[in-house]
Amino acid sequence: MRYTFLVPTLFFVSFLAHAQDASLLAGGMRVDQNADDSSFAVALGYNHHLNKYLSVSADYLNEGHPKLHHRDGLGAQLWLHTPVPTRGWSFAAGFGPYYYFDTTTGNGSLADYRNEHGWGQLMSLSARYHLASNAYLETRLSHTHGITSHDTTMLLFGAGYELRNLPREIRLQNAEQGDNVLMLLAGRAIVNSFKSETSTSSGLEYRRTLNPNVEWSVILMNEGKVDAAERKGVSGQVWLLRPFTERTVLEMGFGAYAMRDQLDRTDSHAERDKHMVPIASIGMRYRINDSLRAQLTWSRVITSYERDSDVFLVGAGVAF
């Protein structure tokens, strides 16, 4: 149950400061202990400048599919960097904690998979070329360390955009204290196994705004069926918000998920067990007009019994 506290803590600490820019990078990864074991890599990040030379970031990394491993994770880094010009180059070095989710094997068989979680370190070197349009191009070298003899090195390329500080009246149009939102959701759930089995998922969400930066929600969620097994339940989450444009809000949530889970995929009448597990989410909401909202979320269900899943939901609802 220690994961109940570790994952939300990482989310909260890394998001206390509002992000000033967002980036999306992609490239290649190799396992340090075996140079022939390589795969793709993707990084999504938010960065906030503390002063002229220091910044902090919250990062999501997908380390691809090297042999007998499917791993991704969440990182928070402290960066030391050169001054950021209006146009031209800046350079930075970052270091911080990394909480990983690794799908691996118990006995070498792909059918006998395990969902391992734990802490490591993330360190990075970055070179950015800033464009006059508030956008930048970035090359980044990142390294994960201290993770069950499976350290990796990633070379990533991509772009980012400096977020504007929107006026308070614009932020209140997207999320004002006392707002209520009722949302109907549908999408796909993916089991964190080597086969990545999928099913149709659905949800009904009620959300209430506490202030322009914080919301809480209750979601009735059905992750669908994989073979004969089915999981459904209710989750409660706290959400941290960051305006992205005049109509778009970025969201980061964490909380608990109470569900009934059936593990036997061959028997539809098998006994269903009750569990309470952590859940962490990243999303984006779009204000269509004063009363209509559209939303996209990705949630990671974090279990202690080898049944992690990713749930992707898109939907629309009404604010009142």
Side-chain angles (χ1 to χ4, degrees):
M1 290 301 295
R2 64 191 180 98
Y3 306 127
T4 304
F5 304 100
L6 294 180
V7 175
T9 298
L10 176 59
F11 267 116
F12 184 74
V13 170
S14 63
F15 204 81
L16 279 176
H18 293 321
Q20 286 187 333
D21 63 71
S23 61
L24 177 62
L25 309 173
M29 178 277 297
R30 76 172 187 181
V31 179
D32 292 354
Q33 290 82 353
N34 182 1
D36 295 329
D37 194 2
S38 61
S39 186
F40 67 90
V42 177
L44 176 66
Y46 300 93
N47 192 67
H48 174 80
H49 288 269
L50 301 175
N51 58 39
K52 188 176 181 180
Y53 301 104
L54 288 176
S55 63
V56 293
S57 70
D59 305 282
Y60 167 76
L61 293 179
N62 189 316
E63 299 180 62
H65 299 164
K67 184 179 180 181
L68 300 182
H69 290 273
H70 290 184
R71 193 173 76 196
D72 59 356
L74 302 168
Q77 295 185 84
L78 176 66
W79 294 85
L80 176 65
H81 55 80
T82 60
V84 176
T86 302
R87 186 182 182 94
W89 290 96
S90 69
F91 303 92
F95 177 81
Y98 182 56
Y99 189 78
Y100 66 87
F101 310 88
D102 192 6
T103 299
T104 184
T105 65
N107 60 11
S109 168
L110 296 182
D112 183 33
Y113 71 89
R114 299 285 187 268
N115 295 140
E116 296 182 354
H117 319 103
W119 287 98
Q121 298 87 47
L122 175 63
M123 53 202 78
S124 303
L125 296 174
S126 171
R128 292 179 175 181
Y129 186 79
H130 299 265
L131 306 172
S133 60
N134 293 328
Y136 59 83
L137 304 177
E138 181 175 3
T139 299
R140 184 184 300 182
L141 182 67
S142 292
H143 177 71
T144 62
H145 177 67
I147 305 174
T148 60
S149 300
H150 192 64
D151 296 358
T152 61
T153 299
M154 291 160 279
L155 182 61
L156 304 165
F157 306 92
Y161 187 78
E162 297 173 6
L163 305 178
R164 293 179 294 163
N165 290 320
L166 298 175
R168 176 175 172 79
E169 56 269 20
I170 296 296
R171 292 189 286 118
L172 292 179
Q173 288 179 353
N174 292 319
E176 185 172 6
Q177 182 176 350
D179 280 353
N180 300 281
V181 178
L182 190 63
M183 191 84 60
L184 187 63
L185 307 165
R188 302 292 285 177
I190 303 175
V191 179
N192 287 183
S193 69
F194 285 107
K195 294 183 179 180
S196 298
E197 299 95 333
T198 63
S199 60
T200 300
S201 59
S202 59
L204 179 65
E205 177 182 21
Y206 168 75
R207 191 179 294 214
R208 183 171 179 83
T209 303
L210 302 180
N211 61 53
N213 300 312
V214 181
E215 296 179 341
W216 64 266
S217 72
V218 176
I219 306 176
L220 300 176
M221 189 159 61
N222 185 343
E223 296 185 52
K225 287 187 176 183
V226 175
D227 298 328
E230 183 177 15
R231 183 160 75 187
K232 60 181 66 175
V234 57
S235 70
Q237 297 188 72
V238 175
W239 297 83
L240 305 175
L241 311 180
R242 174 62 164 94
F244 184 64
T245 69
E246 285 82 356
R247 291 181 176 270
T248 307
V249 176
L250 302 178
E251 309 169 326
M252 188 174 290
F254 54 87
Y257 180 25
M259 95 284 272
R260 294 189 67 190
D261 198 357
Q262 177 189 340
L263 299 181
D264 190 340
R265 300 184 183 182
T266 62
D267 182 3
S268 60
H269 301 290
E271 183 178 356
R272 290 168 169 80
D273 295 327
K274 296 180 181 179
H275 298 274
M276 177 76 76
V277 302
I279 184 171
S281 305
I282 298 173
M284 178 180 293
R285 188 172 66 224
Y286 182 76
R287 176 169 55 87
I288 300 172
N289 56 38
D290 289 343
S291 59
L292 295 179
R293 303 288 187 269
Q295 183 171 291
L296 172 66
T297 58
W298 161 68
S299 297
R300 170 63 54 83
V301 179
I302 308 162
T303 69
S304 59
Y305 57 98
E306 327 303 343
R307 188 73 159 78
D308 290 10
S309 66
D310 292 304
V311 184
F312 297 89
L313 293 171
V314 62
V318 59
F320 56 96

